[in-house]
Amino acid sequence: MAFQILLNFFIAVVWMFMTSSLTPSTFIIGYIIGLLMIIMTRRYFRGRLYVWRIWSAIKLTLIFLKELIMSNISVLLLVIKPNLSTIQPMIFALPTELERDWEITLLSSLITLTPGTIVIHVSDDQRTLYVHAIDVDDVDEAIESIKNTFEKAIMEVSRG
Amino acid sequence: MKTNDVILQTTAKVVFFIIFLFSIHIFFTGHYAPGGGFVGGLLTTGAIVLLLLAFDLRTIQQILPFNFTIVTAIGLLLALGTAAGSIAFNVPFFTHAFDDFTLPLFGTTSLHTAMLFDSGVYLVVVGSAITIIQSIGGDD
């Protein structure tokens, strides 16, 4: 992925020297031409086209914003109308398939930034996150919802 | 007990560069905006302290293999040299000089010898603060 972006930059710089005008607009034109060339020769690259990865990063941001708004509203409802007899705070273990450090950091930041859930500990082998949640009806359902939204989106960005 | 600090360490690695960049910015704008050598030096120290909090002392000594006592000495020499340099031009001690230069990338820039004095202050602040923290933290 990084190689493709570097190649695209290089093509854009070569384009700037060819047209001998060193302006930002020439760079953007060269970048678009380079992007088309990379799309044409996409069979020669080992990884996926980097455009898709940028697209999945945008998708991850949108999922995060949606979750942020939804869980903010649910916590707001919990605050203005607390129902102390049925509320069920708990700490549960969330098994994760993510391996690299930045993936785990990103996942735990996203879980912590959505109100209602906080990551309190990462296990030593980095396979389990311990999450505190404000109100959980069903543990499996909570784990599944995090796995289906954030973990899947992060995996799409990093491997996909 | 050794816990798993993966979140702290990964975040510190990213935030270190942002704080360091901001400290350089604060250092260079010191002449026209709030900032200068002292604040810039303290911010750089803060960035290094963040790394010290996330990792251990030996790792930081490996990635920054400077003797910070010598850094302090170099800073003091730089400040003294800038102040004493004015004597060579037959003007009183501590008289600064400046002129406008046209640099290739920056355009017209006013270069001032107070900048050199400021970098002396910067090095003294970084050197002494890190020396204090390292000698308090490293008790082995």
Side-chain angles (χ1 to χ4, degrees):
Chain A
M1 178 199 176
F3 174 73
Q4 292 176 26
I5 293 179
L6 266 180
L7 181 67
N8 207 340
F9 252 84
F10 182 70
I11 292 170
V13 170
V14 170
W15 174 259
M16 280 163 79
F17 281 116
M18 274 181 188
T19 52
S20 68
S21 80
L22 302 175
T23 54
S25 57
T26 323
F27 180 82
I28 293 170
I29 292 169
Y31 199 88
I32 293 169
I33 293 173
L35 189 60
L36 291 176
M37 278 157 62
I38 286 176
I39 290 173
M40 256 162 42
T41 57
R42 64 187 174 279
R43 285 157 190 275
Y44 302 122
F45 301 109
R46 256 192 293 143
R48 232 174 17 149
L49 211 59
Y50 78 91
V51 185
W52 297 122
R53 219 177 258 201
I54 291 171
W55 171 239
S56 36
I58 294 170
K59 242 171 33 186
L60 175 63
T61 317
L62 291 178
I63 288 172
F64 168 65
L65 287 177
K66 186 194 137 221
E67 288 288 318
L68 186 67
I69 293 167
M70 299 292 276
S71 51
N72 257 312
I73 291 170
S74 68
V75 171
L76 178 73
L77 289 177
L78 209 66
V79 169
I80 55 176
K81 221 175 81 180
N83 196 346
L84 292 180
S85 55
T86 60
I87 190 169
Q88 204 171 40
M90 64 165 69
I91 294 170
F92 59 86
L94 170 77
T96 176
E97 288 153 42
L98 302 176
E99 276 162 11
R100 270 173 277 181
D101 283 358
W102 68 266
E103 295 171 340
I104 290 169
T105 310
L106 187 60
L107 178 65
S108 25
S109 313
L110 291 181
I111 291 173
T112 307
L113 279 172
T114 48
T117 44
I118 289 177
V119 173
I120 49 177
H121 186 63
V122 182
S123 72
D124 286 341
D125 56 354
Q126 301 199 2
R127 296 233 140 266
T128 316
L129 305 180
Y130 293 94
V131 181
H132 177 267
I134 226 174
D135 186 14
V136 180
D137 300 324
D138 183 22
V139 180
D140 294 328
E141 195 188 311
I143 291 176
E144 274 306 306
S145 79
I146 289 175
K147 270 184 129 27
N148 278 334
T149 53
F150 291 144
E151 197 180 27
K152 224 172 81 187
I154 291 173
M155 266 161 83
E156 251 174 55
V157 174
S158 62
R159 326 243 164 101
Chain B
M1 194 184 79
K2 187 89 187 103
T3 52
N4 192 350
D5 310 325
V6 60
I7 299 171
L8 177 66
Q9 288 179 351
T10 318
T11 318
K13 277 182 215 160
V14 178
V15 172
F16 170 76
F17 291 103
I18 300 169
I19 302 178
F20 203 85
L21 199 66
F22 185 60
S23 81
I24 294 170
H25 169 75
I26 280 278
F27 174 72
F28 277 113
T29 56
H31 206 70
Y32 296 110
F38 186 75
V39 195
L42 277 186
L43 270 169
T44 308
T45 314
I48 297 171
V49 167
L50 180 70
L51 282 187
L52 276 168
L53 287 175
F55 301 93
D56 55 302
L57 199 61
R58 188 148 305 155
T59 319
I60 305 305
Q61 274 166 351
Q62 272 170 5
I63 61 173
L64 294 170
F66 310 119
N67 186 347
F68 281 95
T69 335
I70 292 177
V71 171
T72 314
I74 291 172
L76 281 172
L77 274 180
L78 199 60
L80 186 66
T82 319
S86 58
I87 298 177
F89 299 98
N90 210 12
V91 282
F93 187 67
F94 244 119
T95 309
H96 285 296
F98 72 97
D99 203 359
D100 290 334
F101 294 94
T102 309
L103 298 177
L105 208 55
F106 297 93
T108 309
T109 319
S110 151
L111 292 181
H112 204 291
T113 49
M115 198 70 208
L116 290 173
F117 185 76
D118 238 13
S119 20
V121 175
Y122 178 89
L123 289 178
V124 169
V125 169
V126 172
S128 49
I130 295 290
T131 308
I132 291 169
I133 289 160
Q134 276 185 345
S135 48
I136 293 173
D139 52 353
D140 42 318

